[in-house]
PDB file of all heavy atoms in Angstrom:
ATOM      1  N   ALA P 238     -10.174  42.128  25.785  1.00  0.00           N
ATOM      2  CA  ALA P 238      -8.949  41.844  26.538  1.00  0.00           C
ATOM      3  C   ALA P 238      -7.744  41.881  25.631  1.00  0.00           C
ATOM      4  O   ALA P 238      -6.698  42.474  25.994  1.00  0.00           O
ATOM      5  CB  ALA P 238      -9.083  40.514  27.228  1.00  0.00           C
ATOM      6  N   LEU P 239      -7.840  41.269  24.456  1.00  0.00           N
ATOM      7  CA  LEU P 239      -6.734  41.257  23.550  1.00  0.00           C
ATOM      8  C   LEU P 239      -6.460  42.652  23.013  1.00  0.00           C
ATOM      9  O   LEU P 239      -5.269  43.072  22.951  1.00  0.00           O
ATOM     10  CB  LEU P 239      -7.034  40.314  22.375  1.00  0.00           C
ATOM     11  CG  LEU P 239      -5.964  40.191  21.289  1.00  0.00           C
ATOM     12  CD1 LEU P 239      -4.635  39.693  21.852  1.00  0.00           C
ATOM     13  CD2 LEU P 239      -6.422  39.193  20.210  1.00  0.00           C
ATOM     14  N   GLY P 240      -7.490  43.399  22.671  1.00  0.00           N
ATOM     15  CA  GLY P 240      -7.317  44.754  22.170  1.00  0.00           C
ATOM     16  C   GLY P 240      -6.743  45.658  23.272  1.00  0.00           C
ATOM     17  O   GLY P 240      -5.900  46.513  22.985  1.00  0.00           O
ATOM     18  N   GLY P 241      -7.229  45.469  24.491  1.00  0.00           N
ATOM     19  CA  GLY P 241      -6.692  46.284  25.596  1.00  0.00           C
ATOM     20  C   GLY P 241      -5.221  46.019  25.869  1.00  0.00           C
ATOM     21  O   GLY P 241      -4.448  46.952  26.124  1.00  0.00           O
ATOM     22  N   ALA P 242      -4.797  44.759  25.751  1.00  0.00           N
ATOM     23  CA  ALA P 242      -3.421  44.421  25.929  1.00  0.00           C
ATOM     24  C   ALA P 242      -2.564  45.071  24.857  1.00  0.00           C
ATOM     25  O   ALA P 242      -1.497  45.613  25.140  1.00  0.00           O
ATOM     26  CB  ALA P 242      -3.241  42.910  25.920  1.00  0.00           C
ATOM     27  N   ALA P 243      -3.035  44.995  23.603  1.00  0.00           N
ATOM     28  CA  ALA P 243      -2.290  45.612  22.494  1.00  0.00           C
ATOM     29  C   ALA P 243      -2.190  47.123  22.686  1.00  0.00           C
ATOM     30  O   ALA P 243      -1.137  47.701  22.465  1.00  0.00           O
ATOM     31  CB  ALA P 243      -2.985  45.278  21.160  1.00  0.00           C
ATOM     32  N   LEU P 244      -3.271  47.748  23.132  1.00  0.00           N
ATOM     33  CA  LEU P 244      -3.270  49.199  23.406  1.00  0.00           C
ATOM     34  C   LEU P 244      -2.184  49.551  24.441  1.00  0.00           C
ATOM     35  O   LEU P 244      -1.358  50.464  24.224  1.00  0.00           O
ATOM     36  CB  LEU P 244      -4.652  49.630  23.867  1.00  0.00           C
ATOM     37  CG  LEU P 244      -4.887  51.151  24.103  1.00  0.00           C
ATOM     38  CD1 LEU P 244      -6.349  51.464  23.931  1.00  0.00           C
ATOM     39  CD2 LEU P 244      -4.423  51.582  25.497  1.00  0.00           C
ATOM     40  N   LEU P 245      -2.132  48.825  25.553  1.00  0.00           N
ATOM     41  CA  LEU P 245      -1.202  49.144  26.607  1.00  0.00           C
ATOM     42  C   LEU P 245       0.244  48.885  26.194  1.00  0.00           C
ATOM     43  O   LEU P 245       1.154  49.664  26.547  1.00  0.00           O
ATOM     44  CB  LEU P 245      -1.533  48.325  27.837  1.00  0.00           C
ATOM     45  CG  LEU P 245      -2.866  48.676  28.526  1.00  0.00           C
ATOM     46  CD1 LEU P 245      -3.306  47.601  29.504  1.00  0.00           C
ATOM     47  CD2 LEU P 245      -2.730  50.017  29.250  1.00  0.00           C
ATOM     48  N   ILE P 246       0.470  47.823  25.434  1.00  0.00           N
ATOM     49  CA  ILE P 246       1.840  47.546  24.961  1.00  0.00           C
ATOM     50  C   ILE P 246       2.327  48.664  24.049  1.00  0.00           C
ATOM     51  O   ILE P 246       3.488  49.110  24.160  1.00  0.00           O
ATOM     52  CB  ILE P 246       1.857  46.209  24.199  1.00  0.00           C
ATOM     53  CG1 ILE P 246       1.621  45.044  25.180  1.00  0.00           C
ATOM     54  CG2 ILE P 246       3.171  46.019  23.471  1.00  0.00           C
ATOM     55  CD1 ILE P 246       1.276  43.747  24.512  1.00  0.00           C
ATOM     56  N   ASN P 247       1.446  49.183  23.202  1.00  0.00           N
ATOM     57  CA  ASN P 247       1.864  50.203  22.268  1.00  0.00           C
ATOM     58  C   ASN P 247       2.038  51.563  22.961  1.00  0.00           C
ATOM     59  O   ASN P 247       2.891  52.373  22.549  1.00  0.00           O
ATOM     60  CB  ASN P 247       0.862  50.335  21.145  1.00  0.00           C
ATOM     61  CG  ASN P 247       1.006  49.223  20.106  1.00  0.00           C
ATOM     62  OD1 ASN P 247       1.937  49.285  19.289  1.00  0.00           O
ATOM     63  ND2 ASN P 247       0.183  48.217  20.140  1.00  0.00           N
ATOM     64  N   VAL P 248       1.246  51.817  24.027  1.00  0.00           N
ATOM     65  CA  VAL P 248       1.497  53.021  24.836  1.00  0.00           C
ATOM     66  C   VAL P 248       2.967  53.041  25.288  1.00  0.00           C
ATOM     67  O   VAL P 248       3.665  54.053  25.176  1.00  0.00           O
ATOM     68  CB  VAL P 248       0.555  53.065  26.040  1.00  0.00           C
ATOM     69  CG1 VAL P 248       1.033  54.138  27.026  1.00  0.00           C
ATOM     70  CG2 VAL P 248      -0.866  53.417  25.592  1.00  0.00           C
ATOM     71  N   ALA P 249       3.415  51.907  25.810  1.00  0.00           N
ATOM     72  CA  ALA P 249       4.754  51.845  26.401  1.00  0.00           C
ATOM     73  C   ALA P 249       5.831  51.830  25.315  1.00  0.00           C
ATOM     74  O   ALA P 249       6.699  52.708  25.305  1.00  0.00           O
ATOM     75  CB  ALA P 249       4.868  50.627  27.286  1.00  0.00           C
ATOM     76  N   THR P 250       5.789  50.836  24.439  1.00  0.00           N
ATOM     77  CA  THR P 250       6.953  50.637  23.565  1.00  0.00           C
ATOM     78  C   THR P 250       7.043  51.587  22.401  1.00  0.00           C
ATOM     79  O   THR P 250       8.122  52.025  22.041  1.00  0.00           O
ATOM     80  CB  THR P 250       6.879  49.173  23.031  1.00  0.00           C
ATOM     81  OG1 THR P 250       5.678  48.963  22.308  1.00  0.00           O
ATOM     82  CG2 THR P 250       6.991  48.145  24.162  1.00  0.00           C
ATOM     83  N   ASN P 251       5.917  51.971  21.808  1.00  0.00           N
ATOM     84  CA  ASN P 251       5.941  52.904  20.722  1.00  0.00           C
ATOM     85  C   ASN P 251       6.195  54.343  21.219  1.00  0.00           C
ATOM     86  O   ASN P 251       6.776  55.182  20.518  1.00  0.00           O
ATOM     87  CB  ASN P 251       4.669  52.855  19.875  1.00  0.00           C
ATOM     88  CG  ASN P 251       4.586  51.567  19.090  1.00  0.00           C
ATOM     89  OD1 ASN P 251       5.625  51.024  18.709  1.00  0.00           O
ATOM     90  ND2 ASN P 251       3.399  51.093  18.863  1.00  0.00           N
ATOM     91  N   GLY P 252       5.730  54.620  22.430  1.00  0.00           N
ATOM     92  CA  GLY P 252       6.076  55.916  23.018  1.00  0.00           C
ATOM     93  C   GLY P 252       7.577  56.068  23.176  1.00  0.00           C
ATOM     94  O   GLY P 252       8.146  57.098  22.901  1.00  0.00           O
ATOM     95  N   LEU P 253       8.241  54.980  23.613  1.00  0.00           N
ATOM     96  CA  LEU P 253       9.680  55.042  23.795  1.00  0.00           C
ATOM     97  C   LEU P 253      10.450  55.172  22.501  1.00  0.00           C
ATOM     98  O   LEU P 253      11.332  55.989  22.346  1.00  0.00           O
ATOM     99  CB  LEU P 253      10.161  53.808  24.557  1.00  0.00           C
ATOM    100  CG  LEU P 253      11.684  53.620  24.711  1.00  0.00           C
ATOM    101  CD1 LEU P 253      12.254  54.756  25.560  1.00  0.00           C
ATOM    102  CD2 LEU P 253      12.015  52.256  25.342  1.00  0.00           C
ATOM    103  N   VAL P 254      10.084  54.295  21.498  1.00  0.00           N
ATOM    104  CA  VAL P 254      10.904  54.240  20.264  1.00  0.00           C
ATOM    105  C   VAL P 254      10.860  55.548  19.487  1.00  0.00           C
ATOM    106  O   VAL P 254      11.862  55.944  18.851  1.00  0.00           O
ATOM    107  CB  VAL P 254      10.474  53.049  19.427  1.00  0.00           C
ATOM    108  CG1 VAL P 254       9.123  53.338  18.673  1.00  0.00           C
ATOM    109  CG2 VAL P 254      11.533  52.716  18.367  1.00  0.00           C
ATOM    110  N   THR P 255       9.754  56.294  19.560  1.00  0.00           N
ATOM    111  CA  THR P 255       9.676  57.553  18.821  1.00  0.00           C
ATOM    112  C   THR P 255      10.440  58.675  19.514  1.00  0.00           C
ATOM    113  O   THR P 255      10.621  59.742  18.937  1.00  0.00           O
ATOM    114  CB  THR P 255       8.204  57.993  18.656  1.00  0.00           C
ATOM    115  OG1 THR P 255       7.557  58.028  19.932  1.00  0.00           O
ATOM    116  CG2 THR P 255       7.468  57.026  17.736  1.00  0.00           C
ATOM    117  N   GLN P 256      10.922  58.451  20.730  1.00  0.00           N
ATOM    118  CA  GLN P 256      11.767  59.429  21.452  1.00  0.00           C
ATOM    119  C   GLN P 256      13.179  58.857  21.676  1.00  0.00           C
ATOM    120  O   GLN P 256      13.952  59.430  22.477  1.00  0.00           O
ATOM    121  CB  GLN P 256      11.136  59.741  22.805  1.00  0.00           C
ATOM    122  CG  GLN P 256       9.801  60.420  22.715  1.00  0.00           C
ATOM    123  CD  GLN P 256       9.896  61.858  22.252  1.00  0.00           C
ATOM    124  OE1 GLN P 256      10.834  62.573  22.564  1.00  0.00           O
ATOM    125  NE2 GLN P 256       8.934  62.270  21.432  1.00  0.00           N
ATOM    126  N   MET P 257      13.549  57.805  20.967  1.00  0.00           N
ATOM    127  CA  MET P 257      14.753  57.036  21.318  1.00  0.00           C
ATOM    128  C   MET P 257      16.006  57.881  21.191  1.00  0.00           C
ATOM    129  O   MET P 257      16.846  57.905  22.129  1.00  0.00           O
ATOM    130  CB  MET P 257      14.864  55.823  20.407  1.00  0.00           C
ATOM    131  CG  MET P 257      15.940  54.856  20.863  1.00  0.00           C
ATOM    132  SD  MET P 257      15.406  53.897  22.286  1.00  0.00           S
ATOM    133  CE  MET P 257      14.315  52.736  21.508  1.00  0.00           C
ATOM    134  N   VAL P 258      16.187  58.567  20.090  1.00  0.00           N
ATOM    135  CA  VAL P 258      17.420  59.343  19.919  1.00  0.00           C
ATOM    136  C   VAL P 258      17.555  60.475  20.921  1.00  0.00           C
ATOM    137  O   VAL P 258      18.554  60.620  21.589  1.00  0.00           O
ATOM    138  CB  VAL P 258      17.567  59.820  18.439  1.00  0.00           C
ATOM    139  CG1 VAL P 258      18.769  60.786  18.322  1.00  0.00           C
ATOM    140  CG2 VAL P 258      17.766  58.613  17.507  1.00  0.00           C
ATOM    141  N   PRO P 259      16.496  61.337  21.058  1.00  0.00           N
ATOM    142  CA  PRO P 259      16.585  62.374  22.099  1.00  0.00           C
ATOM    143  C   PRO P 259      16.760  61.790  23.494  1.00  0.00           C
ATOM    144  O   PRO P 259      17.485  62.356  24.294  1.00  0.00           O
ATOM    145  CB  PRO P 259      15.216  63.126  21.976  1.00  0.00           C
ATOM    146  CG  PRO P 259      14.784  62.845  20.590  1.00  0.00           C
ATOM    147  CD  PRO P 259      15.275  61.477  20.246  1.00  0.00           C
ATOM    148  N   PHE P 260      16.106  60.654  23.791  1.00  0.00           N
ATOM    149  CA  PHE P 260      16.260  59.999  25.082  1.00  0.00           C
ATOM    150  C   PHE P 260      17.693  59.605  25.318  1.00  0.00           C
ATOM    151  O   PHE P 260      18.265  59.837  26.393  1.00  0.00           O
ATOM    152  CB  PHE P 260      15.336  58.802  25.151  1.00  0.00           C
ATOM    153  CG  PHE P 260      15.495  57.954  26.377  1.00  0.00           C
ATOM    154  CD1 PHE P 260      15.166  58.417  27.635  1.00  0.00           C
ATOM    155  CD2 PHE P 260      16.013  56.664  26.293  1.00  0.00           C
ATOM    156  CE1 PHE P 260      15.352  57.649  28.781  1.00  0.00           C
ATOM    157  CE2 PHE P 260      16.186  55.890  27.430  1.00  0.00           C
ATOM    158  CZ  PHE P 260      15.838  56.382  28.670  1.00  0.00           C
ATOM    159  N   GLY P 261      18.333  58.991  24.333  1.00  0.00           N
ATOM    160  CA  GLY P 261      19.713  58.575  24.449  1.00  0.00           C
ATOM    161  C   GLY P 261      20.660  59.753  24.673  1.00  0.00           C
ATOM    162  O   GLY P 261      21.603  59.705  25.460  1.00  0.00           O
ATOM    163  N   LEU P 262      20.386  60.845  23.934  1.00  0.00           N
ATOM    164  CA  LEU P 262      21.234  62.048  24.105  1.00  0.00           C
ATOM    165  C   LEU P 262      21.112  62.604  25.519  1.00  0.00           C
ATOM    166  O   LEU P 262      22.112  63.026  26.125  1.00  0.00           O
ATOM    167  CB  LEU P 262      20.805  63.120  23.084  1.00  0.00           C
ATOM    168  CG  LEU P 262      21.061  62.776  21.622  1.00  0.00           C
ATOM    169  CD1 LEU P 262      20.454  63.857  20.721  1.00  0.00           C
ATOM    170  CD2 LEU P 262      22.548  62.631  21.340  1.00  0.00           C
ATOM    171  N   GLU P 263      19.904  62.569  26.121  1.00  0.00           N
ATOM    172  CA  GLU P 263      19.742  63.053  27.473  1.00  0.00           C
ATOM    173  C   GLU P 263      20.392  62.138  28.515  1.00  0.00           C
ATOM    174  O   GLU P 263      20.693  62.605  29.612  1.00  0.00           O
ATOM    175  CB  GLU P 263      18.251  63.207  27.809  1.00  0.00           C
ATOM    176  CG  GLU P 263      17.584  64.360  27.075  1.00  0.00           C
ATOM    177  CD  GLU P 263      16.270  64.756  27.682  1.00  0.00           C
ATOM    178  OE1 GLU P 263      15.872  64.145  28.694  1.00  0.00           O
ATOM    179  OE2 GLU P 263      15.623  65.670  27.165  1.00  0.00           O
ATOM    180  N   ARG P 264      20.608  60.903  28.134  1.00  0.00           N
ATOM    181  CA  ARG P 264      21.288  59.964  29.034  1.00  0.00           C
ATOM    182  C   ARG P 264      22.807  60.007  28.845  1.00  0.00           C
ATOM    183  O   ARG P 264      23.531  59.151  29.350  1.00  0.00           O
ATOM    184  CB  ARG P 264      20.769  58.559  28.853  1.00  0.00           C
ATOM    185  CG  ARG P 264      19.353  58.306  29.364  1.00  0.00           C
ATOM    186  CD  ARG P 264      19.290  58.482  30.870  1.00  0.00           C
ATOM    187  NE  ARG P 264      18.048  58.008  31.480  1.00  0.00           N
ATOM    188  CZ  ARG P 264      17.030  58.773  31.787  1.00  0.00           C
ATOM    189  NH1 ARG P 264      17.102  60.077  31.526  1.00  0.00           N
ATOM    190  NH2 ARG P 264      15.927  58.259  32.295  1.00  0.00           N
ATOM    191  N   GLY P 265      23.305  60.995  28.080  1.00  0.00           N
ATOM    192  CA  GLY P 265      24.735  61.211  27.966  1.00  0.00           C
ATOM    193  C   GLY P 265      25.419  60.476  26.811  1.00  0.00           C
ATOM    194  O   GLY P 265      26.651  60.453  26.738  1.00  0.00           O
ATOM    195  N   LEU P 266      24.605  59.892  25.895  1.00  0.00           N
ATOM    196  CA  LEU P 266      25.217  59.197  24.742  1.00  0.00           C
ATOM    197  C   LEU P 266      25.529  60.185  23.651  1.00  0.00           C
ATOM    198  O   LEU P 266      24.967  61.270  23.559  1.00  0.00           O
ATOM    199  CB  LEU P 266      24.257  58.110  24.229  1.00  0.00           C
ATOM    200  CG  LEU P 266      23.783  57.033  25.230  1.00  0.00           C
ATOM    201  CD1 LEU P 266      22.946  56.031  24.492  1.00  0.00           C
ATOM    202  CD2 LEU P 266      24.954  56.383  25.931  1.00  0.00           C
ATOM    203  N   THR P 267      26.443  59.785  22.733  1.00  0.00           N
ATOM    204  CA  THR P 267      26.689  60.568  21.558  1.00  0.00           C
ATOM    205  C   THR P 267      25.536  60.363  20.534  1.00  0.00           C
ATOM    206  O   THR P 267      24.751  59.421  20.690  1.00  0.00           O
ATOM    207  CB  THR P 267      28.012  60.174  20.877  1.00  0.00           C
ATOM    208  OG1 THR P 267      27.889  58.810  20.393  1.00  0.00           O
ATOM    209  CG2 THR P 267      29.164  60.219  21.903  1.00  0.00           C
ATOM    210  N   ALA P 268      25.508  61.184  19.486  1.00  0.00           N
ATOM    211  CA  ALA P 268      24.447  61.015  18.488  1.00  0.00           C
ATOM    212  C   ALA P 268      24.571  59.643  17.817  1.00  0.00           C
ATOM    213  O   ALA P 268      23.546  58.982  17.555  1.00  0.00           O
ATOM    214  CB  ALA P 268      24.553  62.153  17.461  1.00  0.00           C
TER     215      ALA P 268
END
Side-chain angles (χ1 to χ4, degrees):
L239 180 58
L244 185 154
L245 291 166
I246 291 165
N247 282 284
V248 165
T250 58
N251 289 331
L253 174 63
V254 74
T255 54
Q256 297 288 323
M257 191 76 77
V258 172
F260 173 68
L262 293 174
E263 288 196 2
R264 288 295 193 263
L266 303 185
T267 67

